[in-house]
Amino acid sequence: MRKNLCLMLMLGAILGCKDGKSKKNEATETKDTVVAEAEAHQELYGNWVGEFVVDESTLEEGEGLPTTDYSPKINLTIKKITDKGNIFGQNVVKGNLRSFVGKLEENGADIRLLLDEPGDKKSDGRFEIKLNHDTLIGNWTAYDQGVKIKKRSFKLLKKQFAYNPNLMLKNQDGEDGTLVDWINEKRKEETDVDGDSTYTYIIQYYRST
C-alpha cells in the first residue's frame, strides 16, 4: 500500500513537470510567432494641410454657420503605415486634436485611405481619402448624422516642416528673441452651436517663426 502511494506521487510529479514544460514551450512558441509589422508607404508620412470645407447640401434649410466654420484649416498627420495596411495618425482642426486609425487599400496605382476617429465625441467621424498625384482628396462624414455639420470635403497638400535655429523672433530691442512669443498672446472668443447646445471658448494666438 505504502509502495503504491509512493509510485503514484512520483508519477504525479513527473506528469506535472512534463505539463509545466509543455506550457512553457507553448508560451515560447507563441512569443516567437509575434513579429512586428514592417512599415510601408513612408512617402505618405507627415503633415497634410488644406481647407476643411462644409458640404452645404447636408445643412438644414436656412441654417447658417459662423464664417470660421465653413472652411477652417485641417492638419492631418500620418504617423505610421504598416505592410498590412494599418494606418495611425491624428488630425487638428481649430485646436481640436483627434487621433485616428484606419486602413490603406491599394489596387495597382490606386491608393485609398479609410480613417476612423475614436467615436467618443459627438463630432467624430470617418475620412474617406484618395491619393491623386501629390494631393489627398476626400470627404469626412460624421458618425452622428444628428450633428449640425454632417459632412466636409478637402484637398490636402503635404507640408514639410524643418527646424531652423536661425529663425528667431525679434524682441523689443530688435535683438533675436525666441521661436514663440509666449507673453504677448492675442485672444479671440469663438462660439459653436451643436443642436440645442452652444459652446463658447477662447482661442489664444501666439507669434511664432
Side-chain angles (χ1 to χ4, degrees), residues 14 16 39 55-56 65 73 87 106 147 172 185:
I14 292 169
E39 297 186 42
D55 183 343
E56 295 188 39
L65 290 172
K73 290 288 186 183
I87 307 174
E106 190 171 7
V147 297
Q172 293 179 346
E185 81 274 10

Side-chain angles (χ1 to χ4, degrees), residues 155-190:
K155 293 182 180 180
L156 309 180
L157 291 173
K158 194 172 185 182
K159 298 294 183 180
Q160 298 291 345
F161 293 92
Y163 170 68
N164 185 344
N166 297 318
L167 293 177
M168 305 291 284
L169 293 173
K170 301 293 183 181
N171 59 27
Q172 293 179 346
D173 298 324
E175 300 174 348
D176 286 343
T178 61
L179 295 174
V180 181
D181 181 359
W182 297 110
I183 299 174
N184 303 301
E185 81 274 10
K186 290 185 178 181
R187 297 180 174 228
K188 184 178 179 181
E189 184 176 292
E190 297 282 353

Side-chain angles (χ1 to χ4, degrees), residues 9-142:
L9 290 172
M10 289 175 64
L11 181 60
I14 292 169
L15 290 175
C17 291
K18 287 184 177 180
D19 185 59
K21 288 179 180 179
S22 175
K23 289 181 178 178
K24 184 177 180 180
N25 291 338
E26 183 180 341
T28 303
E29 289 173 4
T30 303
K31 185 177 180 181
D32 290 341
T33 59
V34 178
V35 180
E37 293 183 20
E39 297 186 42
H41 288 287
Q42 296 187 32
E43 72 279 3
L44 297 178
Y45 287 18
N47 299 279
W48 296 80
V49 181
E51 293 186 344
F52 205 33
V53 184
V54 171
D55 183 343
E56 295 188 39
S57 67
T58 62
L59 296 176
E60 299 293 333
E61 186 176 353
E63 188 173 32
L65 290 172
T67 305
T68 53
D69 279 344
Y70 269 100
S71 54
K73 290 288 186 183
I74 179 173
N75 185 341
L76 188 146
T77 304
I78 297 176
K79 296 182 176 181
K80 183 178 181 180
I81 303 175
T82 73
D83 59 353
K84 302 294 185 182
N86 298 312
I87 307 174
F88 305 89
Q90 66 184 38
N91 72 86
V92 180
V93 180
K94 294 173 64 175
N96 182 34
L97 187 153
R98 302 300 291 157
S99 62
F100 61 72
V101 295
K103 296 290 290 184
L104 182 145
E105 299 176 351
E106 190 171 7
N107 183 11
D110 186 19
I111 294 178
R112 296 177 182 272
L113 295 81
L114 297 176
L115 311 175
D116 288 305
E117 293 176 308
D120 56 356
K121 275 194 173 184
K122 199 172 183 179
S123 57
D124 283 352
R126 163 175 279 198
F127 294 88
E128 297 184 29
I129 305 171
K130 181 177 180 180
L131 177 64
N132 186 1
H133 300 295
D134 62 347
T135 308
L136 293 182
I137 301 174
N139 297 290
W140 170 90
T141 305

